[in-house]
């Protein structure tokens, strides 16, 4: 494929939290350029916008290109990530990424100009890609022609209007693998309460999908209840997502009956479930609630899993409580086959769009009949809610007897 516009050099960066797609997406972009536009130079900024501001990048050499396919086999990001918001001036000054009086967008733009970058590929969530949009708008206002093509990375699957974010399927599968060992702990003590906390700040998709994937495994096993190897003890007994109201009193009554029958209770909890209540409780006690550079509550500081365990433990008569978080295990995995296929679709399209000079975030557009396209930056937003009434999740709740 010949380039429709003059593209001499492209830059890649990965940003935000990890997801099981970053390494593969980097590899896929390199492979596609090598296939259709081998003369285009490629550089990669290290640690996302951190590297862009500080001027740290590496060149993608012929040796790296030749082995780009190896990146599909690994998790993490070979070029590194960071959480940097170009419009949070105070945070950038504190971190030494800009000087007092500097405009971070200008610093980043001047770096791109100095490096001769014609196309910037960003791989990240809504914050990463809306930051890229801010940067592209700034450059356009200052008469610099830069094409910015993003790829949607988020294990929460919560980017509007993208049907499926890269890495989310793998994260659900990995969360289920994590759960197999964690839930085995129900046999470590009488009247055991296990809380499996799953990543998902505002969206419960990952928690729901992880529970569904785990229960598929439970249903596929052969059990031996006469010796205590019983599916009911290994099952999920409650799934809580941010989009559904949780009646703590009703659930405590239901789960006490589950505990009495099975000698254990297992809860799958989205880390964003109940956060407004937890934050209100902390602030009422006069405690500061830590937030990241994007203004998000730092969930490890408010610890939703421990809060829910505390709400239920005494009321259901738990003798021992364990909270385990699968987030870092899940988000650092290599992409599974389903995600690898989706990543290839999107990276191929992203390169082709870049060579056409077409900016946007590549994904299947739910508002355009699920068409794969470069979605306009102004339409990209985070916080897409999971619909707990969807048939597959509503059916799961009905099977485990959860009605509130």
């Amino acid at each position: 494929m010949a380039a429709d516009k003059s593209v001499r050099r492209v830059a890649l960066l990965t940003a935000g939290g990890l997801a099981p797609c970053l390494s593969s997406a980097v590899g896929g972009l390199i492979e596609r350029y090598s296939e259709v536009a081998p003369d285009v130079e490629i550089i990669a900024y290290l640690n996302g916008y951190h590297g862009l501001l500080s001027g740290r990048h590496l060149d993608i050499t012929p040796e790296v290109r030749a082995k780009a396919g190896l990146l599909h086999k690994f998790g993490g990001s070979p070029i590194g990530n960071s959480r940097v918001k170009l419009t949070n001036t105070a945070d950038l000054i504190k971190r030494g990424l800009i000087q007092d009086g500097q405009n971070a967008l200008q610093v980043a733009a001047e770096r791109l100009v100095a490096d001769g970058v014609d196309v910037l590929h960003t791989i990240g969530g809504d914050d990463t890609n809306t930051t890229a949009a801010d940067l592209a708008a700034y450059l356009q206002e200052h008469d610099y022609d830069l094409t910015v093509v993003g790829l949607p990375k988020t294990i929460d699957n919560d980017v509007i209007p993208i049907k499926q974010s890269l890495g989310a399927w793998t994260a659900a599968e990995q969360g289920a693998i994590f759960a197999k060992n964690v839930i085995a702990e129900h046999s470590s003590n009488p009247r055991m309460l296990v809380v499996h906390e799953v990543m998902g700040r505002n969206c419960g998709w990952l928690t729901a999908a992880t529970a569904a994937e785990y229960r598929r495994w439970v249903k596929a096993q052969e059990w031996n209840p006469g010796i205590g190897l019983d599916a009911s003890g290994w099952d999920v007994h409650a799934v809580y997502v941010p989009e559904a109201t949780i009646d703590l009193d009703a659930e405590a009554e239901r789960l006490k009956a589950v505990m009495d029958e099975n000698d254990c209770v297992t809860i799958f909890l989205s880390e964003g479930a109940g956060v407004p209540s937890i934050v209100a409780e902390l602030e009422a006690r006069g405690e500061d609630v830590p937030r990241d550079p994007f203004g998000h509550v730092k969930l490890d500081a408010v610890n939703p899993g421990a809060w829910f365990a505390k709400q239920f433990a005494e009321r259901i008569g738990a003798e021992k409580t364990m909270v385990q978080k699968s987030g870092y295990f899940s988000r650092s995995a290599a992409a599974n086959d389903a995600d690898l296929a989706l990543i290839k679709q999107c990276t191929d399209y992203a390169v082709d769009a870049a060579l056409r000079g077409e900016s946007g975030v590549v994904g299947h557009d739910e508002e355009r009949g699920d068409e794969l396209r470069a979605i306009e930056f102004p339409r990209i937003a985070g916080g897409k809610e999971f619909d707990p009434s969807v048939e597959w999740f509503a059916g799961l709740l009905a099977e485990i007897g959860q009605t509130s």
Side-chain angles (χ1 to χ4, degrees):
M1 173 183 289
D4 293 341
K5 63 168 280 186
S6 178
V7 177
R8 295 162 297 174
R9 175 175 276 196
V10 304
L12 318 178
L13 67 78
T14 59
L18 296 181
C21 65
L22 293 172
S23 184
S24 178
V26 170
L29 290 170
I30 295 170
E31 287 178 318
R32 183 62 172 174
Y33 274 110
S34 298
E35 176 187 357
V36 302
D39 294 333
V40 172
E41 297 178 13
I42 308 173
I43 66 172
Y45 288 107
L46 300 176
N47 301 111
Y49 292 115
H50 195 291
L52 178 56
L53 289 175
S54 57
R56 296 179 303 113
H57 76 262
L58 55 81
D59 297 321
I60 305 303
T61 64
E63 291 77 18
V64 171
R65 288 180 186 245
K67 293 186 175 182
L70 295 176
L71 299 181
H72 299 301
K73 300 180 179 181
F74 290 85
S77 171
I79 57 178
N81 280 33
S82 64
R83 292 189 182 276
V84 172
K85 187 173 180 63
L86 297 186
T87 54
N88 189 338
T89 301
D91 179 67
L92 297 175
I93 292 172
K94 180 181 178 182
R95 296 166 73 173
L97 293 173
I98 63 172
Q99 301 300 312
D100 193 9
Q102 285 187 310
N103 179 336
L105 289 171
Q106 181 180 357
V107 173
E110 289 176 352
R111 173 59 57 186
L112 290 165
V113 172
D115 290 340
V117 173
D118 302 302
V119 173
L120 176 64
H121 285 286
T122 57
I123 311 166
D126 60 287
D127 287 328
T128 297
N129 286 308
T130 53
T131 296
D134 291 338
L135 182 57
Y138 179 91
L139 288 162
Q140 188 173 36
E141 289 170 9
H142 292 79
D143 299 320
Y144 180 67
D145 183 20
L146 177 76
T147 300
V148 182
V149 183
L151 289 166
K153 168 242 47 153
T154 165
I155 61 175
D156 303 344
N157 197 29
D158 65 344
V159 179
I160 299 170
I162 292 170
K163 182 178 179 65
Q164 187 69 30
S165 298
L166 309 184
W169 282 324
T170 304
E173 178 182 84
Q174 291 294 316
I177 292 170
F178 179 92
K180 293 175 190 177
N181 287 2
V182 168
I183 293 174
E185 287 284 337
H186 78 270
S187 61
S188 68
N189 202 81
R191 299 190 72 83
M192 184 76 178
L193 170 60
V194 177
V195 178
H196 174 196
E197 185 177 323
V198 182
M199 280 188 170
R201 176 181 299 279
N202 299 309
C203 178
W205 181 90
L206 181 59
T207 302
T210 301
E213 183 71 22
Y214 175 75
R215 292 198 81 242
R216 276 191 284 273
W217 175 81
V218 171
K219 291 179 178 181
Q221 304 313 302
E222 183 175 1
W223 302 98
N224 188 357
I227 190 65
L229 186 64
D230 195 321
S232 61
W234 284 79
D235 209 345
V236 180
H237 303 120
V239 185
Y240 301 137
V241 297
E243 297 85 354
T245 301
I246 305 167
D247 185 333
L248 291 175
D249 292 333
E251 279 296 278
E253 183 178 350
R254 181 179 75 85
L255 292 177
K256 185 177 185 305
V258 173
M259 179 69 84
D260 292 343
E261 180 179 354
N262 296 311
D263 208 34
C264 63
V265 164
T266 295
I267 297 171
F268 276 44
L269 171 72
S270 172
E271 65 180 356
V275 165
S277 298
I278 301 170
V279 170
E281 182 179 301
L282 293 173
E283 291 179 338
R285 295 203 301 260
E287 298 182 26
D288 290 330
V289 178
R291 298 177 186 272
D292 68 17
F294 293 89
H296 305 316
V297 171
K298 290 187 175 181
L299 294 173
D300 58 346
V302 301
N303 207 345
W307 188 85
F308 271 90
K310 180 181 178 182
Q311 304 308 307
F312 283 121
E314 184 175 348
R315 297 163 78 176
I316 68 175
E319 185 174 308
K320 182 179 178 182
T321 299
M322 182 179 72
V323 179
Q324 291 291 309
K325 303 179 182 184
S326 61
Y328 293 111
F329 178 90
S330 299
R331 77 179 199 171
S332 302
N336 66 12
D337 289 343
D339 266 318
L340 286 172
L342 180 61
I343 291 164
K344 178 168 177 51
Q345 272 190 301
C346 291
T347 52
D348 283 0
Y349 192 99
V351 171
D352 297 347
L355 295 174
R356 293 193 299 268
E358 181 182 355
S359 292
V361 179
V362 173
H364 292 88
D365 190 338
E366 291 185 303
E367 298 170 3
R368 301 287 192 278
D370 294 338
E371 177 188 356
L372 181 64
R373 56 191 302 274
I375 301 167
E376 299 79 7
F377 279 112
R379 296 178 53 223
I380 298 296
K384 181 175 74 172
E385 293 188 351
F386 170 63
D387 179 3
S389 70
V390 294
E391 185 176 351
W392 62 268
F393 184 61
L396 184 157
L397 295 186
E399 288 178 4
I400 66 176
Q402 181 177 334
T403 59
S404 62

